[in-house]
Amino acid sequence: MIVLDLRDKRPIYEQVVEKLSQLIVCGVLEPDSKLPSVRSLAIDLSVNPNTIQRAYAQLEQDGYLYTITGRGNFVADSSSWKKGRMTVVENDLRQALKEARQTGMSRESVDRIVVEIWGEE
């Protein structure tokens, strides 16, 4: 399910957040499905349970998860996280386009790349 890269400079909890959010966005983890317990996932990944708790807390804050006390953590409906995710993507895209313009990339090059990537689906 999740493979961590110990050579990655990012903290482990950020890697867990990234991997789980990708699984949620791609639909591998369906809405209302139960996630492994903090202890269980920590054992599976050989990390401290506090690391998993921090990742789950971040995912809940970002709208990807919800918690039911005494029952565990569950995948939230896409309406909870989709708007926030789209805002992040839009901001990243704006920043990338500003950098492309500053480096002298032409509009035609950017359009070609967008069409190429969009067509990959």
Side-chain angles (χ1 to χ4, degrees), residues 33 45 47 62 66-68 87 91 113 116:
S33 62
L45 299 177
V47 299
D62 293 344
Y66 64 92
T67 301
I68 299 176
T87 300
N91 290 338
I113 292 168
E116 179 182 311

Side-chain angles (χ1 to χ4, degrees), residues 27-73:
V28 174
L29 295 174
E30 296 180 0
D32 299 320
S33 62
K34 187 176 187 319
L35 290 172
S37 70
V38 169
R39 185 182 306 265
S40 172
L41 188 55
I43 289 169
D44 289 348
L45 299 177
S46 300
V47 299
N48 188 308
N50 292 333
T51 301
I52 303 303
Q53 183 60 45
R54 187 171 180 186
Y56 279 6
Q58 181 65 49
L59 286 163
E60 186 170 8
Q61 183 179 346
D62 293 344
Y64 290 99
L65 303 181
Y66 64 92
T67 301
I68 299 176
T69 305
R71 299 217 36 223
N73 296 289

Side-chain angles (χ1 to χ4, degrees), residues 97-114:
L97 290 171
K98 285 179 185 177
E99 289 178 28
R101 185 185 310 166
Q102 290 170 352
T103 59
M105 187 177 278
S106 70
R107 169 76 188 259
E108 292 77 24
S109 295
V110 171
D111 288 343
R112 180 182 45 78
I113 292 168
V114 168

